[in-house]
Amino acid sequence: MRRENAGWVTWRSCAERLKLRVGYSDYTHTEFEGSEIGTTFDSTSLEARAELVQSDSGTLRGSTGIQYLHRDFFAVGAEAYVPPNLTDQFAIFTLQELGAGPFQLEAAARAEFTTVKAQTLGIENDYNTFSGALGVVYEGIEGVRIGLNGSRVE
C-alpha cells in the first residue's frame, strides 16, 4: 500500500486560516486460497479538502469547506462480487458554534453528491445526501461540557 499526503496553511485574514489537504492512495490486497491467489482487490484514490477556519475572537466560531474524492476500484478472482467502478464525490460542509459564556449553540450541515459508474455493466448511479445537526452545550464547570444534540442523516 502506498499513501501520500500533503497539507498547507496558505491564507490568514479575517478568518483564522485556510487549510488545504490532498491525499493519494494506491492500495492492492490479495487473498490466497492455500498457495493459490484467490482474489485481488485494487483501489487508487485521490482526495482533496479545503477548509476555511473562522477566527475564534467573537461569539461565532467554526469552519466551512469543500471536499472531493475520486476512486478507481476493481477486483478480480473467485470472490470479486463488486464490478470495477469509478466513484466521484463532492461535498460542502459547515460547523458553527455561537455563544459566549456557559451556553453555546452548535450547528452543522453537509451536502454530498456522489456518482458511481460501473462501466463494464453500463450502470451509472447518482446519490445526493444531506445531513445536519443542532445542539445546545452547557459549560458551567471547568473541563465539563454537557450537551443535548439532535441530528438528521440521509
Side-chain angles (χ1 to χ4, degrees):
M1 180 170 119
R2 190 176 93 210
R3 175 170 284 150
E4 305 292 333
N5 289 300
W8 304 271
V9 174
T10 59
W11 179 71
R12 292 181 183 264
S13 182
C14 60
E16 185 177 307
R17 67 185 175 275
L18 175 64
K19 296 191 316 188
L20 301 174
R21 290 185 289 178
V22 177
Y24 174 80
S25 175
D26 187 358
Y27 175 77
T28 300
H29 173 83
T30 303
E31 294 187 355
F32 291 90
E33 301 293 330
S35 61
E36 304 271 326
I37 292 177
T39 306
T40 300
F41 302 90
D42 188 76
S43 177
T44 303
S45 62
L46 173 69
E47 187 168 358
R49 180 180 173 116
E51 184 176 351
L52 182 64
V53 179
Q54 297 157 216
S55 61
D56 196 8
S57 60
T59 59
L60 182 63
R61 300 167 302 282
S63 64
T64 301
I66 58 174
Q67 189 168 347
Y68 174 75
L69 168 72
H70 174 80
R71 179 180 296 128
D72 185 358
F73 171 85
F74 74 88
V76 293
E79 297 177 3
Y81 301 116
V82 177
N85 63 75
L86 294 172
T87 302
D88 285 297
Q89 186 175 76
F90 175 78
I92 185 167
F93 60 89
T94 189
L95 169 64
Q96 301 295 317
E97 294 180 345
L98 176 65
F103 287 98
Q104 290 108 36
L105 181 64
E106 296 179 340
R110 181 178 175 97
E112 194 169 276
F113 310 95
T114 305
T115 299
V116 180
K117 298 175 188 174
Q119 295 166 321
T120 58
L121 300 177
I123 297 173
E124 181 175 325
N125 287 318
D126 293 318
Y127 305 96
N128 299 328
T129 58
F130 303 93
S131 59
L134 189 60
V136 175
V137 174
Y138 175 71
E139 202 169 3
I141 303 169
E142 186 175 331
V144 177
R145 291 181 61 131
I146 300 170
L148 177 63
N149 294 298
S151 64
R152 181 180 190 286
V153 179
E154 286 185 313

